[in-house]
Amino acid sequence: MEVLNSRVLLRPGDLERSRRFYAETLGLAVYREFGPPDHPGTVFFLGGGFLEVSGQGAQDGSAHTLWLQVRDVAHEERRLRQAGVTVLREAREEPWGLVELWIADPDGHRVVLVEIPDDHPLRRDTR
């Protein structure tokens, strides 16, 4: 699998407290913010990767998730199903325009494979 980008997703119990911790206490640089202004998600630089702090603490075991951007989610879904990987949710376009496939690693941790369509704003943003 060719991974184009990656990040660790953290769904904290207290979003604002966690944002302050990573930004102010640890001093991580902000890569981007997204979502509603009163409850934004934040993506921080982590050297060669990213940490996304967003949403609320999950009750379904997905409070920590690995996010991997790939070129072709449909191809990876076929390949991974053939390899016997557990598919938690088939590939589909999300309301925010990304195509996501959710799988589980051998211990049941969620791994999200993401494809960014050619017409998505993330492709047009030159920052």
Side-chain angles (χ1 to χ4, degrees):
M1 173 184 309
E2 180 184 11
V3 176
L4 305 175
N5 196 338
S6 66
R7 64 179 65 159
V8 175
L9 305 176
L10 177 62
R11 304 289 184 240
D14 183 328
L15 178 61
E16 192 52 40
R17 180 185 66 197
S18 292
R19 284 170 36 99
R20 282 192 313 272
F21 173 78
Y22 289 104
E24 297 169 16
T25 305
L26 291 186
L28 298 180
V30 173
Y31 171 65
R32 69 184 281 261
E33 292 183 316
F34 62 93
D38 61 332
H39 200 70
T42 305
V43 180
F44 296 96
F45 281 105
L46 283 182
F50 298 97
L51 170 66
E52 176 182 316
V53 179
S54 62
Q56 289 287 351
Q59 302 301 317
D60 65 357
S62 64
H64 299 86
T65 301
L66 183 60
W67 186 98
L68 303 174
Q69 180 188 346
V70 298
R71 291 190 191 280
D72 186 343
V73 165
H75 168 79
E76 294 301 337
E77 181 173 9
R78 288 188 300 275
R79 187 180 72 76
L80 293 169
R81 282 184 186 275
Q82 289 175 352
V85 171
T86 300
V87 173
L88 301 173
R89 200 193 74 193
E90 73 241 2
R92 68 177 182 218
E93 185 173 331
E94 297 292 347
W96 45 89
L98 301 178
V99 179
E100 294 187 4
L101 165 69
W102 298 359
I103 62 172
D105 77 1
D107 291 314
H109 300 113
R110 183 184 298 173
V111 178
V112 179
L113 300 183
V114 178
E115 179 181 335
I116 301 174
D118 290 337
D119 63 346
H120 192 276
L122 286 175
R123 295 266 190 188
R124 295 189 304 262
D125 189 349
T126 58
R127 285 182 282 163

Short mmCIF file of all heavy atoms in Angstrom, two decimals, residues 7-9 11 56 58-68 86-89 92 94 96 100-113:
data_model
loop_
_atom_site.label_atom_id
_atom_site.label_comp_id
_atom_site.label_asym_id
_atom_site.label_seq_id
_atom_site.Cartn_x
_atom_site.Cartn_y
_atom_site.Cartn_z
N ARG A 7 -1.98 10.44 9.76
CA ARG A 7 -2.14 11.16 11.02
C ARG A 7 -2.75 10.22 12.04
O ARG A 7 -3.36 9.23 11.70
CB ARG A 7 -2.97 12.42 10.87
CG ARG A 7 -4.40 12.20 10.47
CD ARG A 7 -5.17 13.51 10.36
NE ARG A 7 -4.63 14.32 9.29
CZ ARG A 7 -5.29 15.29 8.68
NH1 ARG A 7 -6.51 15.60 9.04
NH2 ARG A 7 -4.74 15.98 7.72
N VAL A 8 -2.56 10.56 13.29
CA VAL A 8 -3.22 9.88 14.39
C VAL A 8 -4.39 10.75 14.79
O VAL A 8 -4.24 11.97 14.94
CB VAL A 8 -2.26 9.69 15.59
CG1 VAL A 8 -2.99 9.10 16.77
CG2 VAL A 8 -1.08 8.82 15.18
N LEU A 9 -5.57 10.17 14.94
CA LEU A 9 -6.76 10.90 15.35
C LEU A 9 -7.01 10.67 16.83
O LEU A 9 -6.99 9.53 17.29
CB LEU A 9 -7.99 10.43 14.56
CG LEU A 9 -7.87 10.49 13.04
CD1 LEU A 9 -9.11 9.89 12.40
CD2 LEU A 9 -7.65 11.89 12.57
N ARG A 11 -9.81 11.57 19.83
CA ARG A 11 -11.14 12.07 20.17
C ARG A 11 -11.19 12.23 21.69
O ARG A 11 -11.50 11.31 22.42
CB ARG A 11 -12.23 11.09 19.72
CG ARG A 11 -12.20 10.74 18.25
CD ARG A 11 -12.62 11.91 17.39
NE ARG A 11 -12.69 11.53 15.99
CZ ARG A 11 -11.97 12.08 15.03
NH1 ARG A 11 -11.12 13.05 15.32
NH2 ARG A 11 -12.09 11.70 13.79
N GLN A 56 -15.50 14.34 20.07
CA GLN A 56 -15.67 13.98 21.48
C GLN A 56 -15.13 12.59 21.71
O GLN A 56 -15.03 11.79 20.79
CB GLN A 56 -17.16 14.00 21.85
CG GLN A 56 -17.77 15.37 21.90
CD GLN A 56 -17.31 16.14 23.12
OE1 GLN A 56 -16.68 15.62 24.01
NE2 GLN A 56 -17.62 17.42 23.17
N ALA A 58 -14.85 8.95 22.13
CA ALA A 58 -15.72 7.92 21.56
C ALA A 58 -15.98 6.80 22.56
O ALA A 58 -15.10 6.43 23.32
CB ALA A 58 -15.10 7.37 20.29
N GLN A 59 -17.18 6.28 22.54
CA GLN A 59 -17.54 5.16 23.41
C GLN A 59 -17.39 3.83 22.69
O GLN A 59 -17.57 2.79 23.28
CB GLN A 59 -19.00 5.34 23.88
CG GLN A 59 -19.25 6.64 24.61
CD GLN A 59 -18.39 6.78 25.85
OE1 GLN A 59 -18.22 5.85 26.61
NE2 GLN A 59 -17.81 7.95 26.04
N ASP A 60 -17.04 3.86 21.40
CA ASP A 60 -16.98 2.63 20.60
C ASP A 60 -15.56 2.13 20.38
O ASP A 60 -15.30 1.34 19.50
CB ASP A 60 -17.67 2.85 19.26
CG ASP A 60 -16.96 3.89 18.40
OD1 ASP A 60 -15.96 4.48 18.87
OD2 ASP A 60 -17.40 4.10 17.27
N GLY A 61 -14.61 2.59 21.18
CA GLY A 61 -13.24 2.12 21.03
C GLY A 61 -12.45 2.85 19.97
O GLY A 61 -11.33 2.46 19.66
N SER A 62 -13.01 3.91 19.40
CA SER A 62 -12.31 4.62 18.32
C SER A 62 -11.74 5.96 18.79
O SER A 62 -11.54 6.85 18.00
CB SER A 62 -13.26 4.85 17.15
OG SER A 62 -14.33 5.69 17.54
N ALA A 63 -11.46 6.08 20.08
CA ALA A 63 -10.90 7.34 20.58
C ALA A 63 -9.52 7.61 19.99
O ALA A 63 -9.09 8.75 19.92
CB ALA A 63 -10.82 7.31 22.11
N HIS A 64 -8.83 6.56 19.56
CA HIS A 64 -7.55 6.67 18.88
C HIS A 64 -7.67 5.92 17.56
O HIS A 64 -8.06 4.76 17.53
CB HIS A 64 -6.41 6.05 19.70
CG HIS A 64 -6.22 6.70 21.02
ND1 HIS A 64 -6.93 6.34 22.13
CD2 HIS A 64 -5.41 7.70 21.40
CE1 HIS A 64 -6.56 7.08 23.14
NE2 HIS A 64 -5.64 7.93 22.74
N THR A 65 -7.34 6.59 16.48
CA THR A 65 -7.50 6.00 15.16
C THR A 65 -6.29 6.36 14.31
O THR A 65 -5.74 7.45 14.44
CB THR A 65 -8.78 6.56 14.47
OG1 THR A 65 -9.91 6.26 15.28
CG2 THR A 65 -8.98 5.97 13.10
N LEU A 66 -5.90 5.45 13.44
CA LEU A 66 -4.84 5.72 12.48
C LEU A 66 -5.50 6.11 11.16
O LEU A 66 -6.41 5.41 10.68
CB LEU A 66 -3.96 4.48 12.29
CG LEU A 66 -2.76 4.62 11.38
CD1 LEU A 66 -1.81 5.70 11.88
CD2 LEU A 66 -2.04 3.29 11.28
N TRP A 67 -5.08 7.22 10.58
CA TRP A 67 -5.65 7.79 9.34
C TRP A 67 -4.58 7.71 8.27
O TRP A 67 -3.50 8.26 8.46
CB TRP A 67 -6.05 9.22 9.63
CG TRP A 67 -6.78 10.02 8.62
CD1 TRP A 67 -8.13 10.23 8.58
CD2 TRP A 67 -6.23 10.81 7.55
NE1 TRP A 67 -8.44 11.08 7.56
CE2 TRP A 67 -7.29 11.45 6.90
CE3 TRP A 67 -4.94 11.02 7.08
CZ2 TRP A 67 -7.11 12.29 5.82
CZ3 TRP A 67 -4.75 11.85 5.99
CH2 TRP A 67 -5.84 12.47 5.37
N LEU A 68 -4.87 7.00 7.17
CA LEU A 68 -3.89 6.83 6.10
C LEU A 68 -4.49 7.28 4.78
O LEU A 68 -5.52 6.72 4.34
CB LEU A 68 -3.46 5.36 5.98
CG LEU A 68 -2.87 4.71 7.23
CD1 LEU A 68 -2.64 3.23 6.99
CD2 LEU A 68 -1.60 5.41 7.64
N THR A 86 -10.58 -7.37 8.40
CA THR A 86 -11.93 -7.02 8.85
C THR A 86 -12.28 -5.62 8.38
O THR A 86 -11.59 -4.66 8.71
CB THR A 86 -12.02 -7.08 10.39
OG1 THR A 86 -11.71 -8.41 10.81
CG2 THR A 86 -13.41 -6.68 10.88
N VAL A 87 -13.35 -5.53 7.60
CA VAL A 87 -13.85 -4.23 7.14
C VAL A 87 -14.96 -3.80 8.10
O VAL A 87 -15.97 -4.48 8.22
CB VAL A 87 -14.36 -4.31 5.68
CG1 VAL A 87 -15.03 -3.00 5.27
CG2 VAL A 87 -13.22 -4.66 4.74
N LEU A 88 -14.73 -2.70 8.79
CA LEU A 88 -15.72 -2.17 9.74
C LEU A 88 -16.83 -1.40 9.03
O LEU A 88 -17.97 -1.40 9.47
CB LEU A 88 -15.04 -1.26 10.76
CG LEU A 88 -13.94 -1.92 11.60
CD1 LEU A 88 -13.24 -0.87 12.47
CD2 LEU A 88 -14.53 -3.02 12.46
N ARG A 89 -16.44 -0.72 7.94
CA ARG A 89 -17.42 0.03 7.14
C ARG A 89 -16.86 0.17 5.74
O ARG A 89 -15.72 0.59 5.56
CB ARG A 89 -17.68 1.40 7.76
CG ARG A 89 -19.00 2.00 7.28
CD ARG A 89 -19.13 3.44 7.62
NE ARG A 89 -18.24 4.17 6.73
CZ ARG A 89 -17.89 5.42 6.88
NH1 ARG A 89 -18.33 6.09 7.90
NH2 ARG A 89 -17.09 6.01 6.04
N ARG A 92 -17.01 4.78 1.31
CA ARG A 92 -18.10 5.66 0.89
C ARG A 92 -17.65 7.10 1.02
O ARG A 92 -16.74 7.42 1.79
CB ARG A 92 -19.36 5.41 1.68
CG ARG A 92 -19.30 5.81 3.14
CD ARG A 92 -20.66 5.56 3.79
NE ARG A 92 -20.65 5.97 5.17
CZ ARG A 92 -21.27 5.31 6.13
NH1 ARG A 92 -21.92 4.22 5.87
NH2 ARG A 92 -21.23 5.77 7.35
N GLU A 94 -17.92 10.70 2.31
CA GLU A 94 -18.44 11.35 3.52
C GLU A 94 -19.05 12.69 3.16
O GLU A 94 -18.75 13.26 2.11
CB GLU A 94 -17.30 11.56 4.52
CG GLU A 94 -16.67 10.28 5.01
CD GLU A 94 -17.60 9.43 5.87
OE1 GLU A 94 -18.66 9.93 6.30
OE2 GLU A 94 -17.26 8.28 6.12
N TRP A 96 -18.23 15.49 4.08
CA TRP A 96 -17.17 16.48 3.91
C TRP A 96 -16.36 16.22 2.64
O TRP A 96 -15.36 16.88 2.39
CB TRP A 96 -16.26 16.54 5.13
CG TRP A 96 -15.84 15.21 5.66
CD1 TRP A 96 -14.74 14.47 5.28
CD2 TRP A 96 -16.52 14.45 6.64
NE1 TRP A 96 -14.71 13.29 5.98
CE2 TRP A 96 -15.80 13.25 6.83
CE3 TRP A 96 -17.67 14.65 7.41
CZ2 TRP A 96 -16.18 12.26 7.74
CZ3 TRP A 96 -18.05 13.66 8.29
CH2 TRP A 96 -17.31 12.50 8.45
N GLU A 100 -13.88 7.38 2.49
CA GLU A 100 -13.28 6.69 3.62
C GLU A 100 -13.68 5.22 3.66
O GLU A 100 -14.82 4.87 3.40
CB GLU A 100 -13.68 7.34 4.95
CG GLU A 100 -13.17 8.74 5.13
CD GLU A 100 -13.45 9.31 6.51
OE1 GLU A 100 -13.98 8.59 7.39
OE2 GLU A 100 -13.12 10.49 6.72
N LEU A 101 -12.72 4.39 4.03
CA LEU A 101 -12.91 2.97 4.30
C LEU A 101 -12.41 2.73 5.70
O LEU A 101 -11.29 3.15 6.04
CB LEU A 101 -12.09 2.13 3.30
CG LEU A 101 -11.89 0.65 3.62
CD1 LEU A 101 -13.20 -0.12 3.52
CD2 LEU A 101 -10.83 0.05 2.71
N TRP A 102 -13.20 2.05 6.54
CA TRP A 102 -12.78 1.76 7.91
C TRP A 102 -12.49 0.28 8.02
O TRP A 102 -13.34 -0.56 7.69
CB TRP A 102 -13.87 2.12 8.90
CG TRP A 102 -14.25 3.56 8.95
CD1 TRP A 102 -13.72 4.61 8.22
CD2 TRP A 102 -15.27 4.14 9.77
NE1 TRP A 102 -14.34 5.78 8.55
CE2 TRP A 102 -15.30 5.53 9.49
CE3 TRP A 102 -16.15 3.63 10.70
CZ2 TRP A 102 -16.17 6.39 10.13
CZ3 TRP A 102 -17.02 4.49 11.33
CH2 TRP A 102 -17.04 5.86 11.05
N ILE A 103 -11.30 -0.05 8.50
CA ILE A 103 -10.91 -1.43 8.73
C ILE A 103 -10.43 -1.57 10.17
O ILE A 103 -10.27 -0.57 10.88
CB ILE A 103 -9.80 -1.88 7.75
CG1 ILE A 103 -8.53 -1.05 7.94
CG2 ILE A 103 -10.30 -1.81 6.31
CD1 ILE A 103 -7.34 -1.55 7.15
N ALA A 104 -10.17 -2.81 10.59
CA ALA A 104 -9.63 -3.06 11.92
C ALA A 104 -8.29 -3.77 11.79
O ALA A 104 -8.12 -4.64 10.93
CB ALA A 104 -10.60 -3.91 12.73
N ASP A 105 -7.36 -3.40 12.67
CA ASP A 105 -6.10 -4.13 12.72
C ASP A 105 -6.36 -5.42 13.52
O ASP A 105 -7.47 -5.65 14.01
CB ASP A 105 -4.97 -3.26 13.28
CG ASP A 105 -4.99 -3.07 14.79
OD1 ASP A 105 -5.87 -3.62 15.50
OD2 ASP A 105 -4.12 -2.35 15.28
N PRO A 106 -5.38 -6.29 13.67
CA PRO A 106 -5.61 -7.56 14.37
C PRO A 106 -6.10 -7.42 15.81
O PRO A 106 -6.73 -8.33 16.35
CB PRO A 106 -4.24 -8.25 14.32
CG PRO A 106 -3.60 -7.71 13.10
CD PRO A 106 -4.05 -6.27 13.04
N ASP A 107 -5.82 -6.26 16.46
CA ASP A 107 -6.29 -6.04 17.82
C ASP A 107 -7.61 -5.28 17.87
O ASP A 107 -8.08 -4.92 18.95
CB ASP A 107 -5.24 -5.27 18.62
CG ASP A 107 -4.01 -6.12 18.88
OD1 ASP A 107 -4.17 -7.30 19.27
OD2 ASP A 107 -2.89 -5.63 18.66
N GLY A 108 -8.20 -4.99 16.71
CA GLY A 108 -9.47 -4.29 16.67
C GLY A 108 -9.38 -2.79 16.63
O GLY A 108 -10.41 -2.11 16.66
N HIS A 109 -8.17 -2.22 16.54
CA HIS A 109 -8.03 -0.77 16.44
C HIS A 109 -8.48 -0.31 15.06
O HIS A 109 -8.15 -0.93 14.06
CB HIS A 109 -6.57 -0.34 16.67
CG HIS A 109 -6.06 -0.73 18.01
ND1 HIS A 109 -5.08 -1.66 18.17
CD2 HIS A 109 -6.42 -0.31 19.25
CE1 HIS A 109 -4.83 -1.80 19.46
NE2 HIS A 109 -5.64 -1.00 20.13
N ARG A 110 -9.18 0.81 15.03
CA ARG A 110 -9.67 1.33 13.76
C ARG A 110 -8.55 1.96 12.95
O ARG A 110 -7.74 2.72 13.47
CB ARG A 110 -10.76 2.38 13.99
CG ARG A 110 -11.35 2.89 12.66
CD ARG A 110 -12.35 3.98 12.84
NE ARG A 110 -13.48 3.49 13.60
CZ ARG A 110 -14.46 4.28 14.03
NH1 ARG A 110 -14.44 5.57 13.78
NH2 ARG A 110 -15.46 3.78 14.72
N VAL A 111 -8.53 1.63 11.66
CA VAL A 111 -7.64 2.25 10.70
C VAL A 111 -8.54 2.80 9.60
O VAL A 111 -9.37 2.06 9.05
CB VAL A 111 -6.63 1.25 10.10
CG1 VAL A 111 -5.75 1.91 9.05
CG2 VAL A 111 -5.79 0.62 11.21
N VAL A 112 -8.42 4.08 9.30
CA VAL A 112 -9.24 4.72 8.28
C VAL A 112 -8.37 4.96 7.05
O VAL A 112 -7.33 5.62 7.15
CB VAL A 112 -9.83 6.06 8.77
CG1 VAL A 112 -10.66 6.72 7.68
CG2 VAL A 112 -10.67 5.84 10.02
N LEU A 113 -8.78 4.40 5.91
CA LEU A 113 -8.11 4.68 4.65
C LEU A 113 -8.91 5.76 3.95
O LEU A 113 -10.13 5.67 3.84
CB LEU A 113 -8.03 3.43 3.78
CG LEU A 113 -7.28 2.25 4.39
CD1 LEU A 113 -7.21 1.10 3.40
CD2 LEU A 113 -5.91 2.64 4.86
#
